[in-house]
Amino acid sequence: MNVTLYKVVNNLPDTDYTRAAFTQCFASSSSTSTGNWSDHGAGDYYFVVNDGGGASVSVKSLTVTY
């Protein structure tokens, strides 16, 4: 599963950062994957799961920290 971090840029296309691959997600029903992005400064961010992958994803829980 791929996850891409985006930073909201007003009146311009949003900036995208490195796509992170979460490979442990499918090892078992209790597997955990972790991704990290460097600090890109203050702002509004969002992420896209399976960016361009076209597959459906279901997760038991999701934790986002900053």
Side-chain angles (χ1 to χ4, degrees):
M1 171 172 58
N2 295 313
V3 178
T4 305
L5 178 69
Y6 289 86
K7 183 174 185 179
V8 175
V9 180
N10 293 331
N11 301 316
L12 293 171
D14 293 343
T15 303
D16 64 310
Y17 295 103
T18 305
R19 182 179 290 170
F22 291 77
T23 57
Q24 293 300 311
C25 297
F26 306 107
S28 75
S29 62
S30 61
S31 296
T32 301
S33 286
T34 302
N36 295 296
W37 288 271
S38 300
D39 184 0
H40 296 291
D44 292 324
Y45 292 86
Y46 62 96
F47 57 90
V48 176
V49 177
N50 266 9
D51 189 13
S56 178
V57 177
S58 174
V59 297
K60 185 182 276 186
S61 68
L62 173 70
T63 303
V64 178
T65 59
Y66 62 95

